[in-house]
Amino acid sequence: MSANRQFAIVTGASTGIGLELAKCCARENFDLLIAADEPDIETAATEMRAMGAAVETVQADLSTIEGVDTLYEASKRIGRPVDALLANAGRGLGHAFLDQDFNQARRVIDTNITGTVYLIHKVGNDMRRRNAGRILITGSIAGFTPGSFQAVYNGSKAFLDSFSFAIREELRDTNLTVTCLMPGATETKFFERAGMMDTAIGTSKKDDAAEVAKTGFDAMMRGDGDVVTGLKNKIQSSVASVLPAGVLARQHRQHAEPGSAKS
């Protein structure tokens, strides 16, 4: 890895928004440590090396303390300060909460919340000691809406959206920045993996992952507090701020309930 380039950690970087965020970093003079819980992370690394970045990989389950420790220890072995942490790893799950396998529901919570917060705590403390660094958290506009048939997922994103604003304020008098990327439905493997391909939202037209990532990356580099991607999502987030929670939950049901896909 070159000392003339910055160094970034990107989680959930094997596919989707995480992969595109890592590409943004590679294009903008960052070397990388990328992580995911699947072998495709090696394919992603090959792609970014072809873009001129030095890339190290970690295949680990970031829903576990042990998995996050593995990633953090790998960054320490590299021996370079982390200029940017893009905490993107996430997991979704469809269907009614009481119909879900609880172990799967817990993995959503442990990936989206526990693993993310733990990694930010470790890397963020290193950044604070240096008084330098950027943190990008992938939240979601889903965090603005009670998520009928995605209750755990939407709840986890509500936590991340709130958490990001809170720690940004705590770090206001430092040279650290915290940015929350809040996309809407994006064209990734998310809905397939969440078991939602029989829903209206799972089969609808979605935003382009590369465009979402570029918007988030640029916001991080500017030091913005948050960014909602796309005009439709901006409208949805504004509406969610004024409608009663019960109304929002009923509306969400129309999009996420199993069998709601258009025939």
Side-chain angles (χ1 to χ4, degrees):
M1 291 191 172
S2 170
N4 296 324
R5 295 170 66 91
Q6 297 187 81
F7 176 53
I9 297 175
V10 185
T11 65
S14 56
T15 60
I17 295 172
L19 173 60
E20 298 300 334
L21 284 170
K23 289 180 185 178
C24 288
C25 290
R27 281 191 289 265
E28 297 298 328
N29 208 38
F30 282 87
D31 291 329
L32 289 157
L33 173 59
I34 57 174
D37 63 356
E38 58 186 2
D40 286 351
I41 196 66
E42 298 298 338
T43 304
T46 299
E47 188 172 355
M48 278 164 273
R49 289 178 186 126
M51 299 169 68
V55 185
E56 298 291 335
T57 64
V58 169
Q59 185 179 337
D61 182 356
L62 299 181
S63 72
T64 67
I65 295 298
E66 295 78 12
V68 175
D69 282 340
T70 296
L71 173 59
Y72 182 70
E73 289 160 7
S75 74
K76 288 301 186 182
R77 285 195 298 273
I78 290 170
R80 291 178 58 182
V82 179
D83 298 291
L85 169 61
L86 293 83
N88 170 82
R91 187 171 297 275
L93 188 63
H95 297 274
F97 172 65
L98 294 181
D99 294 333
Q100 292 171 347
D101 177 276
F102 183 74
N103 288 327
Q104 292 185 26
R106 179 175 175 176
R107 194 171 185 202
V108 172
I109 296 168
D110 287 345
T111 303
N112 297 4
I113 298 178
T114 308
T116 299
V117 169
Y118 181 47
L119 179 61
I120 291 170
H121 192 267
K122 294 184 80 69
V123 176
N125 267 295
D126 291 339
M127 289 178 169
R128 187 171 61 173
R129 280 188 282 272
R130 298 194 331 271
N131 195 27
R134 305 176 190 275
I135 299 171
L136 178 69
I137 300 171
T138 302
S140 174
I141 66 165
F144 302 139
T145 302
S148 311
F149 299 92
Q150 281 184 284
V152 172
Y153 172 76
N154 282 38
S156 73
K157 290 299 183 177
F159 175 93
L160 288 179
D161 293 351
S162 174
F163 174 76
S164 68
F165 282 106
I167 63 171
R168 177 181 174 84
E169 175 60 25
E170 292 173 2
L171 295 167
R172 182 177 61 181
D173 297 326
T174 72
N175 290 326
L176 277 67
T177 62
V178 180
T179 303
C180 189
L181 169 60
M182 294 182 281
T186 304
E187 197 60 57
T188 68
K189 295 181 179 180
F190 174 89
F191 293 98
E192 179 182 350
R193 291 174 171 175
M196 297 183 65
M197 294 310 293
D198 63 342
T199 66
I201 192 170
T203 55
S204 65
K205 179 176 173 57
K206 302 175 186 66
D207 295 333
D208 179 72
E211 292 180 6
V212 169
K214 180 66 163 56
T215 299
F217 179 84
D218 289 347
M220 178 190 75
M221 295 305 291
R222 291 191 302 266
D224 295 349
D226 65 289
V227 60
V228 175
T229 60
L231 177 60
K232 180 180 74 173
N233 298 323
K234 288 182 172 70
I235 293 170
Q236 287 181 0
S237 62
S238 297
V239 169
S241 68
V242 296
L243 285 180
V247 172
L248 293 170
R250 285 193 293 275
Q251 289 181 346
H252 197 276
R253 178 182 196 130
Q254 298 171 10
H255 302 289
E257 185 173 12
S260 61
K262 295 178 181 178
S263 57

